[in-house]
Amino acid sequence: MPSFRPLMNRLPRLFGAQPRAFADLAVERWEICPAEAVNITPGIWLPDQIEHIARTEFGDLPDVLGQMQGDPEEMTPATMGYRFRDVDFVDGVLYARGAERHLRERKGAGLTYPRPERSLSGALYESWIGNRWFGNWLLNDCLAYPLAAEAGRPVTSAPARGGHVARYEELLGMRPERIGNVHFDELILFDDLHNNSNRQARAQANRARIMAGRDLQPVPGVFIFRGASGDARILDNEAEIAERLEADYGFRTVYIDRHDADQIAELVGGTRLIVGVEGSQLAHGVIGMAPGGTVLTLQPADRVTTSLKLLTDCWRQNYAMVVGDGTAGGFRVEWDQIRRTLDMISDRNG
């Protein structure tokens, strides 16, 4: 039996009406953690770094500057749960009567779809950004999983995978039901992207699960090598920087294509300093490093972002940045900039 929900949802927009927010269709909503003021620590960067920025990503320059400035009393919205009825999940999109929410890029573009034959009730913890980037899956979606488990039946459209993802799911006790196209008799969703005390506590609980039973040894610092993995951010002198950090500071280098999740956890769990090109591979460091540590990101001038700072804020870590010369297709960061930034980090840590 075909469903015309994509067509019916699109018609109001053709006449200039704003699409309905998905949350407006909830039959029940509840507060998991109230809005509250939290301390957002300032970022660490050299005074001249603003002059190096050619273009920003995931926000305008004022957003970047605001994040780096910090705020000791930033008002953080509540974490919310929502219950819906009669929702279809088809081709990566949630369809309700009058609204839709995209969790994956659609493979088709029709205005109708066959209504799913399978029906169930469950709690979805996945997000568009988590399905797109590994780092957001590990540091956002995996934080929402405990909410889904507490609410009832955790479900995800993400297929079973191997490597780091499978091991993290095992370490975090994640056992979701994997779904394709389904009809939800009842569906629970969460608004859980705000770094209030509840979310910060869940972050530390996830870290404790990752580190449980490990005999962690102190490590001066860890460089997480990105190379050509993920979206292009090619640091032309990445190997040279890794070698210099090893020689001058006693760093250890992690290669995400060579080291498994347990090997990485053993290293990052014993350090207070993670360095690497800005990107999802640094999530291995964020989830494992203890509060009070620092993540230093190396960024191309045409793709400067503080999106990772939103996550280090949640894990109660410091965030630092060096902006290099060049583009995401090929850029360099001079050693003197790194050295002076490391001095600033040392000064903050006392």
Side-chain angles (χ1 to χ4, degrees):
M1 176 177 166
S3 172
F4 292 90
R5 285 184 175 180
L7 175 62
M8 300 306 295
N9 290 347
R10 187 172 300 184
L11 283 176
R13 298 199 294 268
L14 296 177
F15 293 96
Q18 292 295 318
R20 295 189 66 180
F22 204 89
D24 291 345
L25 301 179
V27 297
E28 180 187 359
R29 62 188 65 207
W30 62 95
E31 191 176 75
I32 296 169
C33 179
E36 59 187 5
V38 298
N39 176 29
I40 305 299
T41 59
I44 302 170
W45 59 353
L46 297 169
D48 64 350
Q49 291 297 281
I50 298 174
E51 302 168 11
H52 290 253
I53 299 175
R55 191 176 69 84
T56 59
E57 189 87 355
F58 309 123
D60 296 329
L61 182 59
D63 298 319
V64 170
L65 299 181
Q67 278 291 316
M68 292 300 285
Q69 181 178 350
D71 185 344
E73 290 288 329
E74 180 172 288
M75 284 306 302
T76 302
T79 296
M80 299 292 298
Y82 301 92
R83 188 185 308 276
F84 304 85
R85 293 197 177 101
D86 188 19
V87 177
D88 291 334
F89 180 69
V90 176
D91 194 18
V93 183
L94 293 167
Y95 292 102
R97 295 181 178 179
E100 56 193 54
R101 179 173 176 176
H102 293 243
L103 296 178
R104 295 180 178 277
E105 186 175 355
R106 294 177 63 189
K107 297 178 181 178
L111 295 178
T112 66
Y113 59 78
R115 185 136 187 189
E117 296 182 1
R118 185 187 177 202
S119 295
L120 55 79
S121 296
L124 268 173
Y125 59 92
E126 67 186 276
S127 65
W128 173 275
I129 57 173
N131 287 331
R132 174 65 177 82
W133 288 287
F134 164 79
N136 291 103
W137 172 81
L138 183 61
L139 302 180
N140 281 325
D141 293 1
C142 291
L143 270 192
Y145 180 87
L147 300 180
E150 184 176 349
R153 181 183 192 178
V155 297
T156 179
S157 68
R161 290 175 284 179
H164 297 131
V165 170
R167 181 55 176 154
Y168 278 122
E169 286 186 331
E170 183 180 2
L171 290 169
L172 294 173
M174 297 172 64
R175 293 178 292 275
E177 179 176 350
R178 303 189 187 275
I179 60 172
N181 293 347
V182 297
H183 173 78
F184 285 101
D185 295 323
E186 284 198 343
L187 169 67
I188 295 175
L189 297 175
F190 306 97
D191 180 2
D192 184 43
L193 291 177
H194 313 297
N195 291 328
N196 49 48
S197 57
N198 180 280
R199 193 166 193 263
Q200 291 185 27
R202 278 181 279 127
Q204 292 309 308
N206 274 9
R207 178 182 184 271
R209 293 186 184 99
I210 297 291
M211 295 301 157
R214 302 186 191 277
D215 182 20
L216 301 176
Q217 301 299 315
V219 179
V222 173
F223 185 86
I224 302 182
F225 203 94
R226 181 176 178 84
S229 64
D231 295 343
R233 283 189 287 288
I234 307 300
L235 179 57
D236 292 334
N237 59 333
E238 186 173 17
E240 173 189 329
I241 290 170
E243 292 171 3
R244 192 75 179 265
L245 288 170
E246 290 175 358
D248 292 6
Y249 290 88
F251 269 53
R252 299 284 298 277
T253 300
V254 162
Y255 298 89
I256 56 174
D257 58 344
R258 306 179 198 173
H259 294 95
D260 61 31
D262 291 284
Q263 292 171 319
I264 296 173
E266 294 286 348
L267 288 173
V268 300
T271 191
R272 291 178 58 82
L273 184 56
I274 302 289
V275 180
V277 176
E278 193 280 333
S280 280
Q281 87 285 353
L282 293 181
H284 294 286
V286 176
I287 199 170
M289 185 169 59
T294 302
V295 176
L296 169 57
T297 65
L298 312 179
Q299 307 200 30
D302 69 336
R303 197 189 180 283
V304 174
T305 175
T306 49
S307 58
L308 191 62
K309 187 178 187 301
L310 297 173
L311 299 169
T312 58
D313 288 341
C314 181
W315 261 260
R316 303 172 188 163
Q317 297 158 348
N318 299 310
Y319 179 86
M321 179 196 306
V322 174
V323 180
D325 297 318
T327 68
F331 73 105
R332 291 183 60 85
V333 175
E334 299 305 322
W335 174 252
D336 185 61
Q337 286 187 305
I338 295 174
R339 180 189 58 78
R340 289 188 292 138
T341 306
L342 291 174
D343 288 343
M344 292 182 68
I345 294 170
S346 179
D347 290 342
R348 174 176 292 192
N349 292 339

